[in-house]
Amino acid sequence: MIANSLETNAKVFEPGATIGILGSGQLGRMMAIAAKQMGYRVHIFSPTHDSPAGQVADLEIQASFDNLAVVERFAQRVDVITLETENIPMETVLVASQSAPVYPGLKALEFCQNRRKEKMFLADYGIPTCQFEIVRSLVELKSVCRYMMPAIVKTTTGGYDGKGQFLIQTPDQIEEAWHTLNANELIVEEFVEFDYEFSVIGARSSAGVFAAYPSIRNEHRDHILNLSFSPSGLSDQLNQRATEIVYEIMNEMDAVGVMAVEFFYRDGEILVNEMAPRPHNSGHLTIEAHVTSQFEQHIRAVCGLMLGITRQTIPAASANILGLEWNQSKSPTWQLGLSMPCVKLHLYGKESPEEKRKMGHMTALAQSAEKAKQYVVAARRLLNIPAMSLNANGTS
Ligand code: AMP
């Protein structure tokens, strides 16, 4: 843990204070659960009613993020505010910050809301990232693709989980990419032939104290995180280098809370893909496998408390449960999925299981990350075996 420019006068919000969360999905829900456990009151600002986070909070205010009068009233009734997603309109954040401190902070949000600014930030600080160009017309896109092919083209704002992205592999796809993404500005990235992806989650408190979790290895399916596991197998040296990068990014952005930095590992080098200034899907396994979960850590950081120990106590792997698990069996067979004692289930309280919607996740704990991975994949597979096809021994 590194103490950096410790501000002894940073405001501390003790348990009993009220935390406001802008956004109401699963990240808000798990933040709220951690905060409630520590004795905080939690108010959720949610565009929808009975949201995943609203279900576990003291209060859910339902309004659109651009209803600034409601945002103002919400902010006046809480002590400190945080965000569960970086994609909250800046105007909303500015209005809220007139009444209470808002974390991760304006600078971090500004960079993380826009892929152009995010990549420029990395380039300015000499942090390794992939080759990229910004284009604002089809002509510019065609000219960049002459020397960058294959390329991943992304909208600079609003994309997540692979939305707002297009992989261009041949020149005849350029026009299709431009029209499909339909934006004024795109970022064109070289397609990185990485060996694997990993993330490092850092935490920085409002008092400037920094801590980081050991790296977590990530595997995606259709651009959506599928599996995460830790220990990641990354060398100590690269783990250290990645942690230094996270420290530098959080410090320079003056980010408060937790931040996940996603990396590509390619042939002995590491490249930053992107940053998320909030708890991250890859960090869900910290709930069971680390002394302090990323959610508790986030609450500690935004409340100005001392950060918790980030040490991992047991190898772990987590797997997302998407809506598609509901397709084969009408309702997943939870009883079977939970038949392995080393597997934990988290469901987010979402009603409609759309195919790519993150409905929950499972985490397995084992003697190695490889074993944990096998267990969690097996447990998820069991969700799709209809209970009635089992014999008396519980096997199919
Ligand atoms: P992103 O939303 O940028 O995190 O992209 C989602 C996923 O798409 C990443 O985790 C990678 O698996 C893949 N991806 C994104 N950018 C690139 C790239 N430049 N090269 C190769 N794969 C990428």
Side-chain angles (χ1 to χ4, degrees), residues 21 35 43 47 74-75 138 155 159 171 182 214 240 258 280 351 365 370:
I21 300 178
H43 292 188
F74 175 85
L138 177 57
T155 53
N182 188 28
Q240 175 68 24
V258 302
H280 191 251
E351 282 257 313
L365 307 169
E370 194 48 44

Side-chain angles (χ1 to χ4, degrees), residues 279-305:
H280 191 251
N281 197 163
S282 64
H284 292 353
L285 53 75
T286 61
I287 296 175
E288 286 92 2
H290 294 67
V291 176
T292 309
S293 79
Q294 63 165 347
F295 298 103
E296 177 184 340
Q297 195 75 300
H298 187 75
I299 297 300
R300 284 170 171 260
V302 301
C303 289
L305 301 174

Side-chain angles (χ1 to χ4, degrees), residues 7-20:
E7 297 166 32
T8 44
N9 58 354
K11 192 141 190 327
V12 174
F13 300 97
E14 303 235 22
T18 302
I19 301 172

Side-chain angles (χ1 to χ4, degrees), residues 180-196:
T180 307
L181 295 176
N182 188 28
N184 296 330
E185 181 181 75
L186 298 174
I187 183 164
V188 191
E189 295 180 8
E190 68 166 300
F191 180 75
V192 180
E193 303 263 6
F194 53 77
D195 299 309
Y196 58 80

Side-chain angles (χ1 to χ4, degrees), residues 78-370:
V78 301
D79 296 300
V80 57
I81 296 175
T82 189
L83 280 59
E84 71 132 24
T85 161
E86 56 279 17
N87 289 323
I88 305 276
M90 198 53 107
E91 220 185 344
T92 305
V93 176
L94 285 170
V95 166
S97 61
Q98 283 163 11
S99 304
V102 180
Y103 297 122
L106 295 178
K107 199 170 166 188
L109 277 178
E110 194 191 330
F111 285 112
C112 296
Q113 279 184 349
N114 184 303
R115 289 185 193 271
R116 171 175 50 82
K117 292 184 184 172
E118 188 175 49
K119 282 280 196 297
M120 301 296 271
F121 172 91
L122 296 171
D124 285 351
Y125 284 91
I127 296 170
T129 187
C130 66
Q131 206 192 342
F132 68 93
E133 294 288 349
I134 303 298
V135 298
R136 298 194 174 87
S137 68
L138 177 57
V139 174
E140 285 179 6
L141 179 61
K142 282 184 177 166
S143 111
V144 168
C145 285
R146 252 180 237 136
Y147 60 92
M148 229 195 273
M149 179 92 69
I152 295 205
V153 191
K154 304 176 181 177
T155 53
T156 48
T157 55
Y160 65 97
D161 285 343
K163 293 188 182 106
Q165 298 193 11
F166 198 108
L167 171 63
I168 301 181
Q169 289 172 295
T170 53
D172 58 296
Q173 292 178 300
I174 298 175
E175 284 203 21
E176 189 191 346
W178 177 258
H179 294 300
T180 307
L181 295 176
N182 188 28
N184 296 330
E185 181 181 75
L186 298 174
I187 183 164
V188 191
E189 295 180 8
E190 68 166 300
F191 180 75
V192 180
E193 303 263 6
F194 53 77
D195 299 309
Y196 58 80
E197 295 181 78
F198 68 94
S199 50
V200 171
I201 297 173
R204 187 169 173 274
S205 76
S206 57
V209 177
F210 175 81
Y213 291 84
S215 58
I216 298 166
R217 188 107 151 237
N218 300 319
E219 294 177 3
H220 291 76
R221 194 167 56 182
D222 296 335
H223 295 274
I224 302 177
L225 187 64
N226 179 35
L227 280 178
S228 294
F229 56 95
S230 181
S232 68
L234 196 69
S235 71
D236 287 350
Q237 199 192 358
L238 283 181
N239 208 71
Q240 175 68 24
R241 176 72 194 116
T243 304
E244 283 163 9
I245 289 174
V246 179
Y247 173 71
E248 189 180 358
I249 293 172
M250 293 194 80
N251 230 9
E252 292 304 334
M253 288 189 180
D254 198 18
V256 169
V258 302
M259 175 185 279
V261 179
E262 295 178 21
F263 292 86
F264 297 137
Y265 171 89
R266 177 179 64 184
D267 204 16
E269 63 167 354
I270 58 174
L271 302 173
V272 171
N273 173 31
E274 64 172 1
M275 294 86 89
R278 50 164 169 81
H280 191 251
N281 197 163
S282 64
H284 292 353
L285 53 75
T286 61
I287 296 175
E288 286 92 2
H290 294 67
V291 176
T292 309
S293 79
Q294 63 165 347
F295 298 103
E296 177 184 340
Q297 195 75 300
H298 187 75
I299 297 300
R300 284 170 171 260
V302 301
C303 289
L305 301 174
M306 179 49 79
L307 297 178
I309 295 171
T310 53
R311 185 165 46 81
Q312 183 164 7
T313 55
I314 183 164
S318 69
N320 277 333
I321 301 172
L322 301 185
L324 55 87
E325 303 295 343
W326 270 250
N327 287 348
Q328 294 173 25
S329 47
K330 270 212 169 102
S331 170
T333 338
W334 301 119
Q335 188 196 336
L336 272 186
L338 287 170
S339 59
M340 283 188 259
C342 65
V343 172
K344 306 280 192 174
L345 173 70
H346 297 255
L347 279 182
Y348 307 146
K350 297 181 185 179
E351 282 257 313
S352 48
E354 283 141 41
E355 193 174 317
K356 293 197 171 170
R357 198 163 190 214
K358 292 176 182 169
M359 303 298 290
H361 73 270
M362 285 175 144
T363 299
L365 307 169
Q367 61 272 43
S368 70
E370 194 48 44

